[in-house]
Amino acid sequence: MRFQMMLREIQKTKLAMSNEASEAFFSLTQAQYAAGDFRTKVIESVSTAEIRTLNRIDNVAGVKLPVFTEVEVSREKSDNIGLAGGGGKIQNCREKFRILLRALIKLASLQTSFVTLDEALKVTNRRVNALDNVTIPHIEQTIAYIVRELDELEREDFVRIKKVQANKLDKAKEELAKKKEAAAAHEAAQALLSPSSVSAAAAAHGSSVFDDPFADVVASDRDILAQFEPATDADVLF
């Protein structure tokens, strides 16, 4: 926006300055026709510049633009110029060139600011192009690579967790099977030692054997003290 406004102002100032320049040089021709060649007298009467420029910096969006302003220091007295004739024309010529000088200072300020702003815009455009074509694609590729690596790590963790869960499940099944086997063995042992199992065994082998533990000895007429006879045991003394 500021760039376009400055461009329009430069165009407007140039058009106005062309008219002012033509008027100034036409007034110079009139003054020379009326008073003759007075340039030598003007140069001799001027010791210092009447108008000087003051430079200041205008900051526009971080861009430092130089701005020139006119400062009128002093006005030299040149009343003796044109006394012989053409004094009015000389003063008119002087004012016309003063107006032209102001227009030149304004145009110089606008064009300097315009060139500075144009260079800043070019640098900004180059940086934007570098960001769009180099930096941002590189960052996007890096982000895509990181996302792929994270997805791969997530899949590996998922497979690892599933494997650990499967191992835990198999181990739990094995422990449960062992517990069932131990419980079955314990139940079988309890069943063998229970009174009902003993009664069943007695019924199968005859009730006398389980009622009298010495019934088989009595029935066989075997001498149970024969093993303790002195003839059979040399260590026994009577």
Side-chain angles (χ1 to χ4, degrees):
M1 187 66 180
R2 178 67 180 270
F3 191 78
Q4 295 177 355
M5 291 176 59
M6 193 178 297
L7 187 60
R8 287 195 295 267
E9 188 68 22
I10 289 174
Q11 184 180 6
K12 181 180 178 181
T13 304
K14 283 185 176 181
L15 291 175
M17 194 182 69
S18 62
N19 296 328
E20 292 171 357
S22 62
E23 291 179 359
F25 282 99
F26 182 72
S27 64
L28 176 61
T29 303
Q30 289 179 342
Q32 287 179 348
Y33 179 78
D37 190 6
F38 57 89
R39 289 179 296 180
T40 304
K41 294 181 180 180
V42 171
I43 294 172
E44 291 176 354
S45 63
V46 174
S47 59
T48 58
E50 296 182 4
I51 297 177
R52 296 182 181 180
T53 58
L54 180 63
N55 185 14
R56 64 182 179 86
I57 301 298
D58 190 8
N59 193 347
V60 178
V63 180
K64 296 181 179 180
L65 301 179
V67 178
F68 303 141
T69 55
E70 60 171 331
V71 178
E72 187 172 353
V73 179
S74 62
R75 177 171 293 188
E76 295 288 340
K77 294 182 179 181
S78 57
D79 296 336
N80 56 351
I81 299 177
L83 292 177
K89 297 293 183 180
I90 293 174
Q91 293 298 326
N92 185 27
C93 177
R94 182 177 184 177
E95 294 299 327
K96 293 292 184 181
F97 273 96
R98 187 182 294 273
I99 294 172
L100 179 61
L101 181 60
R102 292 194 183 98
L104 284 173
I105 294 173
K106 182 179 180 181
L107 181 61
S109 176
L110 289 173
Q111 285 189 338
T112 305
S113 300
F114 180 81
V115 171
T116 305
L117 188 59
D118 184 57
E119 290 296 329
L121 288 176
K122 288 180 180 178
V123 172
T124 304
N125 289 331
R126 286 195 294 268
R127 291 177 180 175
V128 170
N129 291 331
L131 287 174
D132 291 337
N133 299 323
V134 178
T135 306
I136 293 177
H138 180 68
I139 294 174
E140 290 178 350
Q141 291 177 1
T142 304
I143 292 173
Y145 173 75
I146 293 173
V147 170
R148 289 196 301 270
E149 291 297 324
L150 291 176
D151 292 340
E152 184 67 24
L153 290 176
E154 185 177 358
R155 286 192 293 270
E156 291 178 358
D157 291 338
F158 179 75
V159 173
R160 190 180 298 109
I161 291 172
K162 294 293 289 184
K163 186 66 176 177
V164 171
Q165 290 179 350
N167 293 334
K168 288 183 178 180
L169 184 60
D170 294 339
K171 188 176 181 180
K173 288 181 179 179
E174 292 178 359
E175 292 179 355
L176 182 60
K178 290 180 180 180
K179 288 181 180 179
K180 287 182 178 180
E181 291 178 358
H186 182 69
E187 290 178 357
Q190 291 293 333
L192 291 175
L193 297 177
S194 62
S196 59
S197 62
V198 173
S199 299
H205 294 83
S207 59
S208 61
V209 177
F210 290 93
D211 293 338
D212 189 1
F214 300 102
D216 56 346
V217 178
V218 175
S220 62
D221 293 332
R222 182 167 54 87
D223 188 4
I224 62 175
L225 298 176
Q227 58 180 341
F228 300 107
E229 291 295 331
T232 60
D233 193 353
D235 294 332
V236 178
L237 298 178
F238 291 95

XYZ file of all heavy atoms in Angstrom, residues 145-184:
331
model
N 9.537 -37.771 7.965
C 10.444 -38.846 8.384
C 10.253 -39.181 9.865
O 10.206 -40.359 10.252
C 11.887 -38.416 8.114
C 12.920 -39.368 8.668
C 13.178 -40.584 8.046
C 13.628 -39.042 9.822
C 14.120 -41.460 8.562
C 14.571 -39.911 10.341
C 14.815 -41.115 9.710
O 15.736 -41.976 10.232
N 10.122 -38.151 10.690
C 9.919 -38.383 12.126
C 8.600 -39.107 12.371
O 8.516 -40.026 13.200
C 9.971 -37.044 12.885
C 11.390 -36.457 12.820
C 9.545 -37.214 14.334
C 11.503 -35.065 13.386
N 7.554 -38.715 11.632
C 6.251 -39.375 11.794
C 6.336 -40.845 11.394
O 5.787 -41.730 12.080
C 5.184 -38.632 10.966
C 3.890 -39.424 10.921
C 4.916 -37.252 11.558
N 7.041 -41.122 10.291
C 7.196 -42.524 9.875
C 7.956 -43.334 10.916
O 7.581 -44.471 11.235
C 7.920 -42.584 8.528
C 7.092 -42.107 7.351
C 7.723 -42.551 6.040
N 9.076 -42.041 5.888
C 9.381 -40.887 5.314
N 8.418 -40.102 4.842
N 10.639 -40.493 5.202
N 9.021 -42.747 11.453
C 9.794 -43.461 12.469
C 8.967 -43.699 13.729
O 9.030 -44.777 14.339
C 11.061 -42.664 12.808
C 12.088 -42.627 11.690
C 12.629 -44.002 11.365
O 12.795 -44.813 12.301
O 12.872 -44.280 10.177
N 8.182 -42.707 14.118
C 7.330 -42.882 15.299
C 6.273 -43.955 15.069
O 5.973 -44.752 15.971
C 6.670 -41.547 15.664
C 7.601 -40.458 16.214
C 6.828 -39.168 16.439
C 8.259 -40.901 17.505
N 5.702 -43.973 13.858
C 4.728 -45.026 13.541
C 5.372 -46.405 13.580
O 4.776 -47.375 14.077
C 4.116 -44.768 12.166
C 3.231 -43.535 12.152
O 2.791 -43.125 13.247
O 2.993 -42.982 11.062
N 6.597 -46.492 13.055
C 7.298 -47.778 13.074
C 7.590 -48.213 14.507
O 7.411 -49.391 14.866
C 8.599 -47.655 12.279
C 9.366 -48.959 12.137
C 8.627 -49.967 11.281
O 7.793 -49.550 10.452
O 8.880 -51.176 11.453
N 8.021 -47.275 15.342
C 8.266 -47.601 16.744
C 6.979 -48.016 17.450
O 6.979 -48.938 18.284
C 8.888 -46.394 17.452
C 10.323 -46.032 17.059
C 10.756 -44.754 17.767
C 11.279 -47.164 17.389
N 5.889 -47.351 17.099
C 4.608 -47.708 17.710
C 4.177 -49.113 17.301
O 3.685 -49.887 18.134
C 3.552 -46.687 17.299
C 2.206 -46.885 17.977
C 1.214 -45.805 17.607
O 1.603 -44.892 16.841
O 0.073 -45.885 18.070
N 4.381 -49.450 16.022
C 4.046 -50.806 15.583
C 4.936 -51.845 16.271
O 4.460 -52.915 16.681
C 4.189 -50.902 14.065
C 3.069 -50.216 13.298
C 3.105 -50.597 11.831
N 4.288 -50.076 11.168
C 4.331 -48.891 10.574
N 3.265 -48.103 10.576
N 5.429 -48.480 9.981
N 6.226 -51.537 16.401
C 7.115 -52.468 17.093
C 6.704 -52.648 18.550
O 6.706 -53.777 19.069
C 8.550 -51.953 17.010
C 9.150 -52.007 15.605
C 10.550 -51.443 15.568
O 11.017 -50.986 16.640
O 11.175 -51.465 14.494
N 6.347 -51.558 19.209
C 5.886 -51.668 20.595
C 4.602 -52.484 20.689
O 4.424 -53.277 21.628
C 5.661 -50.270 21.179
C 6.959 -49.512 21.370
O 8.015 -50.172 21.449
O 6.923 -48.268 21.428
N 3.711 -52.301 19.721
C 2.457 -53.056 19.737
C 2.723 -54.552 19.578
O 2.159 -55.386 20.310
C 1.546 -52.553 18.615
C 0.238 -53.278 18.524
C -0.771 -53.035 19.437
C 0.018 -54.211 17.521
C -1.980 -53.708 19.357
C -1.179 -54.888 17.435
C -2.185 -54.637 18.356
N 3.610 -54.896 18.634
C 3.950 -56.313 18.434
C 4.635 -56.871 19.668
O 4.365 -58.004 20.100
C 4.841 -56.459 17.185
C 5.357 -57.886 17.060
C 4.067 -56.075 15.931
N 5.529 -56.077 20.272
C 6.226 -56.533 21.471
C 5.245 -56.769 22.623
O 5.332 -57.766 23.348
C 7.281 -55.503 21.863
C 8.231 -55.973 22.952
C 9.244 -54.906 23.299
N 10.086 -54.575 22.168
C 10.030 -53.429 21.499
N 9.149 -52.494 21.847
N 10.836 -53.198 20.481
N 4.303 -55.857 22.782
C 3.310 -56.008 23.853
C 2.437 -57.235 23.620
O 2.140 -58.002 24.551
C 2.460 -54.727 23.956
C 3.314 -53.566 24.488
C 1.265 -54.935 24.874
C 2.625 -52.228 24.440
N 2.029 -57.446 22.363
C 1.222 -58.629 22.056
C 2.001 -59.909 22.332
O 1.445 -60.900 22.840
C 0.779 -58.582 20.594
C -0.169 -57.442 20.259
C -1.514 -57.606 20.942
C -2.300 -58.734 20.342
N -3.650 -58.848 20.945
N 3.299 -59.904 22.001
C 4.125 -61.083 22.253
C 4.254 -61.340 23.747
O 4.156 -62.496 24.211
C 5.506 -60.864 21.629
C 6.408 -62.079 21.703
C 5.877 -63.219 20.871
C 6.841 -64.396 20.868
N 6.305 -65.546 20.112
N 4.473 -60.284 24.519
C 4.583 -60.440 25.976
C 3.279 -60.951 26.560
O 3.257 -61.838 27.427
C 5.000 -59.097 26.612
C 4.900 -59.166 28.126
C 6.418 -58.733 26.207
N 2.156 -60.405 26.082
C 0.859 -60.872 26.568
C 0.629 -62.339 26.213
O 0.095 -63.111 27.023
C -0.250 -60.001 25.984
C -0.286 -58.590 26.550
C -1.377 -57.749 25.934
O -2.005 -58.158 24.954
N -1.607 -56.569 26.492
N 1.037 -62.738 24.997
C 0.878 -64.146 24.609
C 1.740 -65.052 25.484
O 1.290 -66.132 25.917
C 1.246 -64.313 23.140
N 2.971 -64.619 25.768
C 3.838 -65.418 26.644
C 3.248 -65.534 28.050
O 3.271 -66.610 28.665
C 5.230 -64.807 26.705
C 5.961 -64.905 25.378
O 5.674 -65.797 24.569
N 6.902 -64.003 25.135
N 2.731 -64.421 28.558
C 2.110 -64.460 29.885
C 0.889 -65.381 29.893
O 0.662 -66.124 30.857
C 1.712 -63.046 30.310
C 2.880 -62.156 30.677
C 2.390 -60.802 31.158
C 3.554 -59.914 31.582
N 3.081 -58.591 32.057
N 0.106 -65.334 28.806
C -1.075 -66.189 28.733
C -0.687 -67.665 28.684
O -1.300 -68.505 29.367
C -1.902 -65.807 27.503
C -3.234 -66.533 27.319
C -4.149 -66.271 28.510
C -3.914 -66.083 26.025
N 0.353 -67.993 27.897
C 0.814 -69.390 27.844
C 1.336 -69.848 29.204
O 1.054 -70.979 29.644
C 1.914 -69.525 26.789
C 1.385 -69.277 25.380
O 0.156 -69.403 25.188
O 2.195 -68.943 24.487
N 2.083 -68.975 29.860
C 2.604 -69.328 31.178
C 1.477 -69.526 32.184
O 1.508 -70.456 33.011
C 3.559 -68.234 31.651
C 4.300 -68.585 32.922
C 5.303 -67.505 33.266
C 6.068 -67.863 34.538
N 7.048 -66.803 34.888
N 0.459 -68.662 32.096
C -0.682 -68.810 33.003
C -1.430 -70.115 32.736
O -1.875 -70.804 33.670
C -1.620 -67.613 32.848
N -1.552 -70.480 31.455
C -2.210 -71.745 31.126
C -1.413 -72.932 31.663
O -1.989 -73.897 32.193
C -2.382 -71.854 29.612
C -3.440 -70.920 29.041
C -3.565 -71.102 27.542
C -4.639 -70.189 26.959
N -4.759 -70.345 25.489
N -0.085 -72.872 31.518
C 0.746 -73.958 32.043
C 0.615 -74.074 33.556
O 0.483 -75.180 34.107
C 2.203 -73.724 31.649
C 2.470 -73.867 30.154
C 3.916 -73.572 29.814
O 4.673 -73.243 30.758
O 4.284 -73.673 28.628
N 0.656 -72.931 34.246
C 0.507 -72.967 35.702
C -0.865 -73.491 36.102
O -0.995 -74.265 37.069
C 0.727 -71.561 36.271
C 2.161 -71.071 36.149
C 2.337 -69.672 36.705
O 1.305 -69.075 37.092
O 3.486 -69.189 36.753
N -1.894 -73.108 35.358
C -3.237 -73.601 35.666
C -3.333 -75.110 35.445
O -3.952 -75.831 36.251
C -4.259 -72.864 34.796
C -5.731 -73.215 35.022
C -6.132 -72.900 36.461
C -6.628 -72.449 34.046
N -2.689 -75.598 34.370
C -2.703 -77.042 34.121
C -1.971 -77.794 35.227
O -2.426 -78.855 35.695
C -2.074 -77.335 32.764
N -0.822 -77.229 35.673
C -0.093 -77.871 36.770
C -0.920 -77.881 38.047
O -0.938 -78.876 38.790
C 1.227 -77.145 37.002
C 2.245 -77.349 35.886
C 3.523 -76.598 36.191
C 4.551 -76.798 35.078
N 5.806 -76.060 35.357
N -1.606 -76.776 38.310
C -2.446 -76.729 39.508
C -3.578 -77.746 39.424
O -3.923 -78.403 40.413
C -3.007 -75.317 39.685
C -1.970 -74.300 40.129
C -2.603 -72.936 40.317
C -1.564 -71.914 40.773
N -2.165 -70.571 40.950
N -4.151 -77.887 38.226
C -5.218 -78.878 38.062
C -4.690 -80.289 38.268
O -5.346 -81.133 38.905
C -5.839 -78.729 36.676
C -6.714 -77.493 36.523
C -7.340 -77.449 35.145
C -8.252 -76.239 34.998
N -8.881 -76.187 33.656
N -3.490 -80.569 37.718
C -2.897 -81.894 37.913
C -2.611 -82.158 39.388
O -2.870 -83.250 39.908
C -1.617 -82.006 37.093
C -1.848 -82.031 35.589
C -0.544 -82.092 34.826
O 0.517 -82.074 35.492
O -0.590 -82.155 33.577
N -2.062 -81.166 40.083
C -1.779 -81.334 41.510
C -3.064 -81.540 42.295
O -3.133 -82.374 43.215
C -1.017 -80.119 42.029
N -4.099 -80.780 41.928
C -5.378 -80.936 42.623
C -5.974 -82.320 42.369
O -6.524 -82.967 43.280
C -6.340 -79.845 42.171
N -5.847 -82.793 41.126
C -6.366 -84.131 40.817
C -5.606 -85.202 41.577
O -6.192 -86.161 42.111
C -6.279 -84.368 39.313
